[in-house]
Amino acid sequence: MRILTASDRALLVETADLAEAMRLGPAWAHLPGVVELIPGARSVLVRFDPLQVSARELAATLAGTPADAGEERRAGEVSIPVHYDGDDLHEVAHLLGVSAEEVVNRHLGAGWQVAFSGFAPGFGYLVSDDPLFDVPRRSSPRTRVPAGAVGLAGAFTGVYPRESPGGWQLIGRTDAVMWDIDREPPALLSPGTRVRFVRADTAALSLPGLPAVPLVTPLAPRGSASDRGEAPRSSARDQARTIEVARPALQILVQDRGRPGHAALGVSESGAADRTALSDANRAVGNHRGAAVLEIVGGAALRFRGSGVAAVTGAIGELTLTNADGFESTVDHGAPFATSDGDELTLGAPTNGLRYVVAVRGGVLVPPVLGSRSADTLAGLGPAPLRQGDVVEVGEHAPHAVDPHPLPRPLPASGDLVELDITLGPRNDWFTPQALHTLTGQGWTVTPRSDRVGIRLHGEVALARAVAGELPSEGAVTGAIQVPPDGQPVLFLPDHPLTGGYPIIGALTADALDLAGQLPPGARVRFRVRPAQR
């Protein structure tokens, strides 16, 4: 067992094989200070609270766990009907040296089990008892893989729960619903679930030694926008205390502190990209620090219905409040201000930072999903992005008095150089010594191809690998610096996938995460290594 630094709040434990990772994960679930476990193909990512346990103490405990400790999870059985007409079926047959018919028959005949979840909510990595299945990913990933596509990659098979990009070899499709937030549990496949694939025209499946397993059928269409956790799209005049989008921004999302603890479902924590701005805005209006707010990229205008109190933190730009009579006043950044019915708040294009945070006393009210009101843009969870005319309700109560003392906080503008502290690992040994020098020795520019999933960086010199080949899928933390084959890093933000197959050379420290969430396109980044505390 090898224990590697994954960040200042996470360790990556390499295991002998997948079976050991599946056993050890449950054995570590209740250790003091452990926040969350994310199993991978041959590893377990262990996130911990440094206020409860040090990295050194936790590593010693993990290393002292017997290899045969714990048991593999068992989570029931299910069969999934498949139409075997995937675009890559014949290519897979060629790669495996068998006929397409044999690929299908052996996929049907194998016993599959969900080893771990990741990539997207409801996406299970299934392994089988048939050694035939070991298929390389596509050399060029597809930009669009439809929901229900059945694919192969490495020793795994999986079903795409929603439309997304992907590089797996597609052999078929199913109408089974992998993820439905209105179902309990929402994920059809969770770690430990045993799976049999059947032809789509088969009525039921009987397995030797097992009872007949009913086929999975699609659920009925989901309910209203409110039922799905989306923001209501109704007239502002019908609401007592609401906020209406009078002029849209590049992006307006509802965010709070996220939904930790759902890694087994393939769900990342998500939440506000700048948690300092979230806390500061809620403190200003008297909310608890994790109350839901609006996270806004770009200029926008919001119209208030009913009286209340609001505050704007995060990105810095011109803020103007216009009342129903047309009188304009300037709003101070970070300070609470009163709103009356019909007032319109205009947020100019930010001069510093990227994301405004707008808090209202009582919090933004949308239906919670898995305990959070946050929008996860990668997973498609929570309320949809707000558009012009959309309305959100405002809560009635707040636990604290307003705080009129704004906390000054400088943020970068496009072109500014920002230093971010990182820890190296877990896969810095996959890169040449020169690449490690380049990582910290040159500046990296934030490109416009950045979002809440990750910041795509560009440097004059790409990071060269010392180890070729694919990395078995393993867990990733927010702030991880993942390096794809082109050598240009991607800095993961809150909506990143839980697992990935590109090596991670380092990760931001916890103190650097909020600043990263405010980096505008054109800003330059220089990484500074901080030794991991052990």
Side-chain angles (χ1 to χ4, degrees):
M1 185 185 298
R2 192 164 68 129
I3 300 177
L4 307 171
T5 297
S7 76
D8 60 346
R9 299 187 178 208
L11 299 174
L12 185 75
V13 184
E14 289 184 336
T15 58
D17 51 30
L18 176 60
E20 186 174 88
M22 294 174 68
R23 287 195 307 272
L24 289 176
W28 293 330
H30 303 293
L31 292 178
V34 170
V35 174
E36 192 165 42
L37 299 168
I38 303 175
R42 289 199 296 269
S43 64
V44 180
L45 182 72
V46 184
R47 293 180 54 225
F48 65 92
D49 181 353
L51 297 179
Q52 298 186 48
V53 64
S54 71
R56 182 186 300 275
E57 292 168 336
L58 181 57
T61 302
L62 299 175
T65 305
D68 58 354
E71 297 180 354
E72 291 186 15
R73 294 175 179 169
R74 299 291 181 182
E77 306 146 7
V78 69
S79 64
I80 297 177
V82 178
H83 301 274
Y84 285 95
D85 56 2
D87 292 344
D88 302 319
L89 177 58
H90 291 282
E91 174 64 17
V92 167
H94 173 73
L95 290 170
L96 297 179
V98 298
S99 67
E101 182 180 5
E102 183 169 351
V103 170
V104 172
N105 288 336
R106 292 178 70 166
H107 195 259
L108 291 167
W112 296 90
Q113 185 176 24
V114 182
F116 58 96
S117 299
F119 173 65
F123 188 94
Y125 289 76
L126 284 73
V127 292
S128 79
D129 52 9
D130 189 334
L132 173 71
F133 295 104
D134 191 356
V135 181
R137 289 178 172 84
R138 288 172 53 88
S139 57
S140 178
R142 290 180 170 89
T143 57
R144 176 185 176 276
V145 177
V150 180
L152 298 169
F156 301 102
T157 195
V159 182
Y160 283 76
R162 64 192 298 258
E163 181 181 309
S164 63
W168 288 40
Q169 306 277 6
L170 305 183
I171 62 171
R173 56 190 168 87
T174 181
D175 294 326
V177 178
M178 296 294 106
W179 175 267
D180 192 294
I181 197 62
D182 297 325
R183 180 174 58 198
E184 182 56 41
L188 179 65
L189 304 180
S190 58
T193 302
R194 286 182 287 174
V195 177
R196 286 283 186 179
F197 294 100
V198 298
R199 293 186 185 273
D201 56 356
T202 304
L205 175 66
S206 295
L207 304 177
L210 294 175
V213 182
L215 292 179
V216 176
T217 56
L219 296 183
R222 294 169 65 182
S224 66
S226 177
D227 294 335
R228 295 193 300 270
E230 297 179 3
R233 305 184 185 280
S234 59
S235 169
R237 293 178 175 82
D238 297 332
Q239 308 293 336
R241 281 170 43 83
T242 63
I243 306 172
E244 178 187 3
V245 178
R247 177 167 57 83
L250 295 176
Q251 185 181 68
I252 304 179
L253 301 173
V254 178
Q255 294 293 340
D256 57 19
R257 293 188 67 82
R259 47 180 68 83
H262 297 289
L265 300 177
V267 176
S268 68
E269 186 170 355
S270 189
D274 182 351
R275 295 196 176 194
T276 297
L278 171 74
S279 297
D280 288 350
N282 278 319
R283 174 196 49 76
V285 299
N287 292 336
H288 64 82
R289 66 174 187 163
V293 300
L294 297 182
E295 181 184 271
I296 301 176
V297 177
L302 306 174
R303 186 173 297 119
F304 298 94
R305 294 295 177 181
S307 60
V309 178
V312 182
T313 61
I316 299 170
E318 184 176 353
L319 306 175
T320 305
L321 189 68
T322 305
N323 68 15
D325 297 324
F327 177 77
E328 293 184 355
S329 58
T330 299
V331 171
D332 292 332
H333 185 274
F337 58 94
T339 62
S340 299
D341 187 68
D343 283 357
E344 187 168 298
L345 173 66
T346 302
L347 302 96
T351 57
N352 295 76
L354 179 66
R355 294 177 168 90
Y356 287 113
V357 171
V358 179
V360 286
R361 185 168 176 81
V364 174
L365 296 186
V366 296
V369 176
L370 296 178
S372 170
R373 293 183 166 90
S374 280
D376 184 331
T377 59
L378 178 66
L381 293 178
L386 301 182
R387 303 192 297 264
Q388 184 165 350
D390 284 353
V391 174
V392 291
E393 295 185 20
V394 176
E396 294 292 334
H397 305 289
H400 308 295
V402 299
D403 186 341
H405 306 292
L407 301 175
R409 183 166 170 247
L411 292 176
S414 181
D416 286 353
L417 179 64
V418 178
E419 287 194 334
L420 297 176
D421 285 342
I422 66 171
T423 56
L424 291 178
R427 299 301 175 188
N428 51 305
D429 58 350
W430 276 53
F431 297 87
T432 65
Q434 181 59 41
L436 296 176
H437 175 76
T438 299
L439 175 68
T440 57
Q442 76 173 4
W444 301 90
T445 301
V446 176
T447 73
R449 297 185 305 123
S450 302
D451 53 26
R452 280 180 51 89
V453 176
I455 299 173
R456 294 181 180 272
L457 301 172
H458 178 78
E460 290 295 324
V461 179
L463 299 178
R465 292 255 296 261
V467 178
E470 293 185 0
L471 178 71
S473 291
E474 59 188 27
V477 299
T478 302
I481 306 168
Q482 190 184 70
V483 185
D486 64 3
Q488 300 292 343
V490 177
L491 177 57
F492 279 170
L493 290 185
D495 292 355
H496 69 89
L498 280 176
T499 59
Y502 295 140
I504 292 172
I505 194 171
L508 296 186
T509 62
D511 292 341
L513 290 175
D514 290 340
L515 182 56
Q518 291 290 0
L519 293 174
R524 295 182 300 124
V525 173
R526 189 178 297 276
F527 294 118
R528 182 172 55 196
V529 175
R530 192 180 83 180
Q533 299 296 315
R534 301 301 294 268

